[in-house]
Amino acid sequence: MEKVGIVGVAQTRYQRNMPTSHDEMVFEVTSKALEDAGLTIDDIDNTITCTNDFFDGRTISSMGITDASGTSNVPTTNVEGDGTYGALMGLMRILSGHFNRTLVVAQSQGSIGNPCIITNAMFDPLYERYLGLDAINSAALQVRRYMTVYGISEEQCAKVSVKNHRNAKNNPYAQLPMDITVEDVLNSKVLASPIKLLDTSPISDGACAIILARESDANKGNNKPIWIKGVGHSSDVYHLGDRDLSDVSVLQAAAKKAYSMAGITDPKKEIDVAEIYDAFSYMELMWMEGLGFCDRGEGGTLIDSGITQMEGSLPVNPSGGVLSANPVLAAGLARISEGVLQLRGQAGDRQVEGAEVALAHGIEGACGQGHCVFVLGI
C-alpha cells in the first residue's frame, strides 16, 4: 500500500463574530494551503468539505462553499462532522487508488447561531431532547461521573485550562490566549455544575484546510511530506443513557488501531507531542487515559506531574487546544494541522523541540461518542 502524506496546511485566525463569510474563510484557507504545498487548484483531483447544516443555518450547507474550495470540477464529498473524519475520508479516497491529491477543508461560524439549541438537536428527539440536554450540561453529567468513579478533582481539571490558555499565548491563531490561575477557573461562573466558564471552550468562527497526496506525488511540492503513519476510529452507542459516561473504551479501540498501524507500542514514550480535542477541561484528562498515556483514573495524576506541560516529556496541546479556540468541525482538522507544523519544525514559539511523532485527535457526538485518532510522522 502506497503511503499518504500531508503536503499543505492552513488555518484562519479563530475568533468570535468573524467579519468574513463562510465562503470567504474557505477561500482563504484553500488558497493558503495550496500556496503552502506549492500547488494550484488544478493539481487537486478531489475535495472533502466539512460543514454542518445546523451550525450554518441552511440546508445542503456544503453547496455554499463549493466554488470557494475549488470543487466545482472535481468529485467532492461533504462530511457533516469533525474535520478528523474529513481527513479520514480524504485518506481513504487516495488509498482507493482512484485519486492522487485530496483537499480537505472544514469551516464553522458558531457565533451566528445558538450553540445550546443546535447541540440539543444531536440528542434523541423522543426521549432526550425534551430534557434540554446540550453540549454543556451533558458534559457536566460526564465529568461528574468521571470524578465520582476515579476521584478526579475540580482543581486537576482546572490545571488543564490554565496550561492550555497559557500555551495559546504562543499561537497566533488562538482565540483565548491568557494567563489564568486555578483559582480563576474555580471561581468563574458555573454553567452546569461542576463545569465553569473557564472549563469550557469558546464560541468560535474559523476554517482549516489540509492537502493529502499519495507518495508518488507527495514530494513534488514545497514541503517535505508529513506521513500518516496510523489512523483509527470507533463509535459508542447513540443514547446517552446506554453508556457509562466515565468509560473510554471506544477511544482505546480507536487508538489501538492507529498505534498498531503506526507500530506504536508505548505511546507515552514514543509520541513526542499530542493535540487532543479538549472541548472541556476534563476531557483532556479522560482522553489521555483512553489514548494510553496513563492508566484509567490517572489523568489527574498526569496533569499534576507536569509532563504534559510545554517543558515536559509529553507536551499536550501546545497550541492551546480546543479550550482556546473551538471552531466546530474545523477544530479536529486544526489538531492535524498543528501536528504537521510541529513535525516540520514550523510551530514558532509553540514548537516542541525534536518532535518526530505527533498524535492528533478528534471527537464526534455528545460526550465523545465517537473518536478519530491520527499518528503522524516524518
Side-chain angles (χ1 to χ4, degrees), residues 146-191:
Y146 177 49
M147 293 168 64
T148 299
V149 173
Y150 293 106
I152 302 296
S153 69
E154 293 184 47
E155 288 79 8
Q156 288 170 323
C157 296
K159 288 181 180 180
V160 174
S161 183
V162 172
K163 170 180 70 72
N164 291 352
H165 286 299
R166 182 174 62 245
N167 288 349
K169 293 176 65 179
N170 295 321
N171 182 1
Y173 303 116
Q175 180 177 346
L176 292 179
M178 55 185 175
D179 286 316
I180 55 175
T181 66
V182 169
E183 289 71 28
D184 290 332
V185 180
L186 296 177
N187 293 326
S188 61
K189 180 182 177 181
V190 176
L191 301 182

Side-chain angles (χ1 to χ4, degrees), residues 148-347:
T148 299
V149 173
Y150 293 106
I152 302 296
S153 69
E154 293 184 47
E155 288 79 8
Q156 288 170 323
C157 296
K159 288 181 180 180
V160 174
S161 183
V162 172
K163 170 180 70 72
N164 291 352
H165 286 299
R166 182 174 62 245
N167 288 349
K169 293 176 65 179
N170 295 321
N171 182 1
Y173 303 116
Q175 180 177 346
L176 292 179
M178 55 185 175
D179 286 316
I180 55 175
T181 66
V182 169
E183 289 71 28
D184 290 332
V185 180
L186 296 177
N187 293 326
S188 61
K189 180 182 177 181
V190 176
L191 301 182
S193 181
I195 290 178
K196 294 160 288 295
L197 182 62
L198 291 177
D199 287 311
T200 308
S201 53
I203 296 172
S204 308
D205 302 342
C208 181
I210 68 171
I211 296 173
L212 308 174
R214 66 171 63 253
E215 185 175 10
S216 54
D217 292 305
N219 291 297
K220 298 178 181 179
N222 284 345
N223 300 297
K224 184 178 179 181
I226 299 302
W227 303 108
I228 298 175
K229 298 288 190 177
V231 62
H233 65 99
S234 189
S235 185
D236 209 333
V237 296
Y238 173 56
H239 289 286
L240 209 63
D242 290 343
R243 296 158 53 190
D244 179 350
L245 294 179
S246 69
D247 183 68
V248 292
S249 57
V250 171
L251 175 53
Q252 289 173 326
K256 182 179 179 180
K257 295 175 187 177
Y259 294 156
S260 176
M261 191 181 297
I264 298 288
T265 58
D266 189 343
K268 185 177 178 180
K269 292 183 178 179
E270 296 176 69
I271 291 171
D272 300 314
V273 57
E275 284 284 338
I276 298 175
Y277 201 114
D278 58 328
F280 300 92
S281 60
Y282 77 89
M283 284 186 170
E284 182 172 299
L285 305 182
M286 281 190 70
W287 304 158
M288 287 193 299
E289 296 171 15
L291 290 166
F293 297 155
C294 59
D295 291 333
R296 288 307 337 264
E298 293 185 357
T301 303
L302 200 64
I303 191 74
D304 288 340
S305 72
I307 73 168
T308 61
Q309 302 280 352
M310 280 296 297
E311 64 275 11
S313 59
L314 177 59
V316 174
N317 289 328
S319 68
V322 181
L323 276 174
S324 299
N326 186 11
V328 180
L329 285 80
L333 199 62
R335 310 280 66 76
I336 295 176
S337 179
E338 286 291 327
V340 169
L341 293 176
Q342 288 286 347
L343 300 185
R344 285 183 184 174
Q346 297 176 352

